[in-house]
Amino acid sequence: MSVRGDTPVRGLEARVLTIPTDGPEADGTIRWDSTTMILVEATAAGVTGTGWTYGAGAAADVVRELLRETVLGRSALDVPGAHEAMGRAVRNAGRPGLVAGALSAVDIALWDLKARLLGLPLAALLGRVRREVPVYGSGGFTTYDRQRLDEQLDGWRKQGIPRFKIKIGESWGNCEDRDLARVEQARLAIGEDAELFVDANGGYTRKQAVRVGRVLAGLGVTWFEEPVSSDDLAGLEVVRDAVTADVAAGEYGYDLPYFARMAPVVDCLQADATRCGGITGWLRAAALAEAHCLQLSGHCAPHAHAHAAAAVPNLRHLEWFHDHVRVEELLFEGSLPPRGGVLRPGADGAPGLGLTLRAERAAAYRTG
């Protein structure tokens, strides 16, 4: 396809899809029984790009009411320009939170659209620094019994994934003994040579996190995510300096100043492209992390991150999160297999993110 530089965006639509979980799920601080995706489609020259975020369905209204008119008519090749215009358009609405999620979904859709118009995998358009993107299996919800946890860990192991993360900090840190027993169970299930990660989702107090972290060291845990609230930057620094596992946080970052504040107090910075401004924002967060001599880890939504992750020199890994993997494999053809613990985005030459929406399935889960 021959594409002119002024090829305009002609359509921008959003819908809400709600998919029940495959069982009760919880982490250290919240429970849920469904996952909501806000799906965005951008069109130009008869081509459609797809993006998404996870969160409150009201984000779809942000796309329809605040972002659509800002994007329509702009060049489909000028994604950074659209990103900047959207950021200005939502100033008075308050950018953090669901507004940032809506903007992120549109940005991802526009990058997918641009790559499709040019006939390139998004990884090739951005410029690869790696062919393989490492992932870690993530789930291990606090609601799981021993059998369910073992089954999930074994499933990832059979896929060749050598890194495993489970949730701890149950009930705001009030089930510490069970937390540690579940970590012991996970270690036995995956063996001594596999990497073991934990995520407290901010459920512990500072000194509790330090005490737990010292026990985790004996179990070979190398990644301690949100040991305390990500709002407690001083607390993150206290825990980071007191434990041997790498302390990570950043999934609730919606803008670059947030990441700039967090970078000095963590060992690895996390960022979520479906929250921090899409592909545009995520690549900028990666550059900020590199300026602080840190690696970046992609939070959740692995198929939204995979191509951008291939373009990042300081990538550590992506989160192969149970809920989002299940939803993305359900709704899209072309989902990536984590063979040997890595994704290979763009290896088949498919343009954009390489995904095709299963329209009938999406329609069955539409709630807005």
Side-chain angles (χ1 to χ4, degrees), residues 198 206 209-210 213 216 221-230 232-250 262-270 294-295 297 316:
V198 298
R206 295 180 185 181
V210 171
L216 295 175
V221 172
T222 56
W223 172 277
F224 197 172
E225 186 173 328
E226 286 195 321
V228 296
S229 169
S230 55
D232 183 8
L233 298 182
L236 285 170
E237 186 173 25
V238 166
V239 178
R240 182 202 62 186
D241 291 344
V243 303
T244 58
D246 283 353
V247 168
M262 179 164 283
V265 301
V266 295
D267 296 301
C268 184
L269 195 64
Q270 293 176 284
L294 295 178
Q295 291 179 309
S297 178
R316 182 173 294 197

Side-chain angles (χ1 to χ4, degrees), residues 56-339:
D61 291 329
V62 175
V63 176
R64 297 165 186 150
E65 298 172 13
L66 296 178
L67 301 178
R68 176 188 280 148
E69 294 305 317
T70 301
V71 171
L72 293 181
R74 300 188 65 90
S75 169
L77 303 185
D78 185 13
V79 183
H83 183 95
E84 180 68 14
M86 288 191 292
R88 295 181 180 185
V90 300
R91 185 195 69 180
N92 288 347
R95 175 162 175 170
L98 66 86
V99 173
L103 188 155
S104 299
V106 176
D107 184 271
I108 295 168
L110 291 174
W111 276 110
D112 186 39
L113 173 62
K114 178 177 180 177
R116 288 175 184 272
L117 287 168
L118 296 174
L120 294 171
L122 181 56
L125 174 61
L126 297 175
R128 292 185 181 93
V129 296
R130 66 184 75 242
R131 297 285 174 178
E132 297 181 344
V133 173
V135 298
Y136 66 88
S138 172
F141 303 111
T142 59
T143 45
Y144 284 178
D145 60 19
R146 293 184 64 87
Q147 180 179 350
R148 181 69 179 93
L149 179 58
D150 280 344
E151 289 173 350
Q152 187 176 71
L153 295 169
D154 187 56
W156 292 327
R157 184 182 60 79
K158 288 177 177 176
Q159 290 178 304
I161 297 176
R163 310 165 197 90
F164 306 80
K165 187 176 83 179
I166 70 168
K167 301 288 191 181
I168 60 173
E170 183 177 350
S171 300
W172 289 93
N174 287 312
C175 301
E176 191 175 312
D177 289 343
R178 184 169 187 265
D179 289 340
L180 294 174
R182 292 176 63 253
V183 178
E184 290 180 9
Q185 177 192 346
R187 172 52 73 194
L188 288 172
I190 66 177
E192 293 298 323
D193 294 333
E195 294 185 68
L196 181 56
F197 304 165
V198 298
D199 182 359
N201 287 101
Y204 292 138
T205 63
R206 295 180 185 181
K207 287 194 173 180
Q208 183 183 25
V210 171
R211 292 193 300 270
V212 169
R214 289 171 178 165
V215 179
L216 295 175
L219 295 169
V221 172
T222 56
W223 172 277
F224 197 172
E225 186 173 328
E226 286 195 321
V228 296
S229 169
S230 55
D231 293 328
D232 183 8
L233 298 182
L236 285 170
E237 186 173 25
V238 166
V239 178
R240 182 202 62 186
D241 291 344
V243 303
T244 58
D246 283 353
V247 168
E251 66 187 71
Y252 297 110
Y254 298 108
D255 54 36
L256 287 179
Y258 175 98
F259 296 118
R261 293 191 298 270
M262 179 164 283
V265 301
V266 295
D267 296 301
C268 184
L269 195 64
Q270 293 176 284
D272 187 329
T274 73
R275 293 174 177 169
C276 73
I279 303 297
T280 303
W282 197 80
L283 293 174
R284 292 172 181 175
L288 186 150
E290 189 172 14
H292 285 82
C293 301
L294 295 178
Q295 291 179 309
L296 185 77
S297 178
H299 173 262
C300 289
H303 291 93
H305 288 93
H307 286 255
V312 169
N314 58 321
L315 177 78
R316 182 173 294 197
H317 41 46
L318 296 184
E319 182 172 13
W320 194 248
F321 181 54
H322 173 71
D323 277 358
H324 293 178
V325 169
R326 194 175 62 86
V327 169
E328 291 164 14
E329 290 180 345
L330 173 72
L331 295 177
F332 298 118
E333 294 179 7
S335 58
L336 298 167
R339 295 193 185 101

